[in-house]
Amino acid sequence: MLTADIPAAARYRDARRALRDGGRDEVVRRLESTSAEIRIKIIRMIDAAQLGHVGGDLSVTDILVTLFGAVLDVDPEHPQAPDRDRFILSKGHCAAALYSTLAWCGYFPEAELGSFMAPLSPLNGHPNRRKVPGVETNTGPLGHGFPVAVGCALAARLRGSGSRTVVVLGDGEMQEGSNWEAAMTAGHYGLSSLTAVVDRNRLQQGARTEETKALEPLDAKWAAFGWEVRTVNGHDHAALLTAFEPSTTGRPVAVVANTIKGKGVSFMEDRVEWHHKVPTSEQVRAAIKELSR
């Protein structure tokens, strides 16, 4: 099991404190800057490993940075604190984005990112809770993370805890029936401490989601299952901050975050082949140049 980077965790706590004390515009500016840095780390990790799911990593980055940077109540030095908020990345194949974010928070040293996908590395292609602090459950098989998140929210209620549970799903993943069973269960029990975020980039492996199995009207489907639904630009940090606020209705919250696969790199954006394509050295340089502007 990896262990916390104490100086990085201290910087993370200081940054969270500064965000709480600062104005909204400053919070958004810091989150935007961090997202750009995380995207560059993702490109470098995938380049070094010659493996990964770069398109989805880039689409989910702003969501992860907003959650860990300004929403979730977590402590990288105490990743098992009983009343911590729980975060689950159900679309576990986008592990590079999660690992980069966790390292930024100080859950483990940033130098470990260089071992991404290497033989015996704890930073496997899918998150492993026995190896990486901050990972609440192993994910990879789609449709598994969301039901676990429902269980976390139910457990928090039984403990009398005020902790929140947030789960991020891929939109292609919403074609899995287990997710809708989970949605129905959460709606039935009125799990208001649960937030499900759909990374709605409209692309999955090989095709557009609507060509594979249509999801629309997605917001109406969530509402029909008893959820409070919020539709948002998934790359707008200010809008995400509002969308991630607690439930106002006593129902679980579904955030449909409209995103762009490959966000931030022009030749990757909204192109299905970048689901798990690895960039060439020249493309890596071009991508980092764009993301550094």
Side-chain angles (χ1 to χ4, degrees):
M1 171 71 81
L2 295 173
T3 56
D5 180 335
I6 304 303
R11 289 193 297 271
Y12 170 71
R13 284 196 303 273
D14 290 344
R16 289 293 300 263
R17 192 177 302 113
L19 289 178
R20 285 194 296 269
D21 296 341
R24 183 83 161 195
D25 290 346
E26 177 62 15
V27 172
V28 170
R29 186 192 67 78
R30 288 176 180 243
L31 294 175
E32 289 174 346
S33 175
T34 300
S35 290
E37 294 171 7
I38 294 293
R39 284 190 169 95
I40 290 171
K41 289 183 174 70
I42 290 167
I43 295 292
R44 288 179 170 150
M45 289 168 66
I46 290 175
D47 176 42
Q50 290 294 291
L51 292 165
H53 292 80
V54 66
D57 284 319
L58 297 178
S59 73
V60 80
T61 297
D62 297 309
I63 294 168
L64 298 186
V65 168
T66 303
L67 286 168
F68 279 92
V71 177
L72 296 171
D73 184 5
V74 294
D75 182 353
E77 290 190 56
H78 302 93
Q80 295 299 316
D83 285 331
R84 69 191 182 279
D85 287 345
R86 269 65 171 179
F87 173 79
I88 294 172
L89 182 68
S90 193
K91 48 176 286 180
H93 56 286
C94 290
L98 177 61
Y99 296 153
S100 299
T101 305
L102 292 176
W104 166 64
C105 296
Y107 279 95
F108 55 85
E110 185 177 308
E112 293 288 345
L113 297 178
S115 73
F116 177 57
M117 294 269 207
L120 303 182
S121 169
L123 302 183
N124 200 347
H126 296 93
N128 188 326
R129 63 180 296 272
R130 294 180 179 271
K131 297 180 179 180
V132 184
V135 173
E136 296 291 346
T137 189
N138 295 22
T139 54
L142 299 178
H144 288 198
F146 187 14
V148 173
V150 172
C152 289
L154 278 170
R157 174 180 289 180
L158 291 171
R159 293 196 313 273
S161 170
S163 65
R164 296 179 65 184
T165 300
V166 178
V167 56
V168 171
L169 306 106
D171 51 0
E173 183 179 9
M174 296 308 299
Q175 295 161 358
E176 297 280 358
S178 54
N179 282 327
W180 294 106
E181 293 177 37
M184 181 168 56
T185 300
H188 172 76
Y189 286 108
L191 297 179
S192 59
S193 66
L194 176 62
T195 297
V197 186
V198 181
D199 181 12
R200 186 72 170 110
N201 61 40
R202 291 176 170 76
L203 288 171
Q204 61 190 100
Q205 181 171 316
R208 294 197 172 273
T209 56
E210 303 310 285
E211 295 170 10
T212 306
K213 191 179 293 182
L215 296 173
E216 295 298 339
L218 187 56
D219 54 353
K221 289 175 180 174
W222 280 103
F225 278 71
W227 288 62
E228 179 181 338
V229 186
R230 302 166 183 174
T231 302
V232 66
N233 177 347
H235 300 304
D236 182 332
H237 294 85
L240 286 169
L241 285 169
T242 299
F244 293 154
E245 289 177 357
S247 171
T248 61
T249 59
R251 293 179 287 164
V253 174
V255 177
V256 179
N258 291 308
T259 61
I260 299 171
K261 200 150 193 165
K263 174 66 175 177
V265 181
S266 58
F267 58 85
M268 294 183 183
E269 288 190 350
D270 199 37
R271 297 185 66 90
V272 69
E273 66 266 29
W274 288 103
H275 179 78
H276 53 53
K277 183 179 177 180
V278 175
T280 65
S281 297
E282 183 178 349
Q283 288 172 326
V284 167
R285 288 191 294 271
I288 291 175
K289 182 177 180 180
E290 281 195 50
L291 293 168
S292 299
R293 292 172 182 165

